[in-house]
């Protein structure tokens, strides 16, 4: 099962464009022991999305799958998170 493996991850998350959303997501990842390697935020003009939304693309450092899953469970519950579009393991 994925939760038993350790890997880097690619995450694409649709959010409401509000102050503090990225900080809350970073906190959930950090609290679970998942370190962020990179973050890119796209606004609706770039992605063709709705005004008032943004798309976050994050990559993580290597972390246990169970830790990532725990963080994602918390992130999904956030009122500013519209969807977790992609979660993909990365080699390397």
């Amino acid at each position: 099962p994925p939760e038993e493996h350790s890997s880097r991850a690619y995450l694409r998350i649709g959010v409401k464009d509000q102050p503090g959303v990225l900080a809350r997501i970073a906190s959930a990842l950090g609290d679970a022991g998942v370190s962020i390697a990179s973050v890119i935020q796209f606004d609706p003009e770039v992605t063709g999305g709705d005004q008032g939304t943004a798309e976050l693309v994050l990559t993580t450092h290597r972390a246990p799958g169970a830790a990532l899953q725990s963080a994602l469970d918390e992130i999904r519950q956030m009122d500013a998170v519209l969807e977790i579009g992609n979660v993909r393991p990365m080699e390397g």
Side-chain angles (χ1 to χ4, degrees):
E3 57 273 359
E4 293 179 11
H5 298 286
S6 180
S7 70
R8 295 175 23 144
Y10 166 93
L11 312 172
R12 186 176 282 270
I13 305 171
V15 298
K16 295 177 185 175
D17 192 10
Q18 300 172 344
V21 173
L22 178 57
R24 291 196 312 259
I25 290 171
S27 180
L29 288 164
D31 290 348
V34 179
S35 178
I36 296 171
S38 69
V39 177
I40 300 173
Q41 179 173 327
F42 296 102
D43 66 23
E45 291 179 17
V46 174
T47 62
D50 296 330
Q51 289 295 325
T53 66
E55 190 167 23
L56 301 175
V57 175
L58 299 93
T59 61
T60 71
H61 291 283
R62 184 171 294 280
L68 179 61
Q69 190 58 54
S70 175
L72 291 173
D73 290 345
E74 183 176 340
I75 292 167
R76 278 189 187 92
Q77 301 303 313
M78 295 178 184
D79 61 340
V81 172
L82 303 172
E83 71 170 336
I84 298 178
N86 286 318
V87 177
R88 302 271 190 247
M90 296 172 51
E91 292 298 320

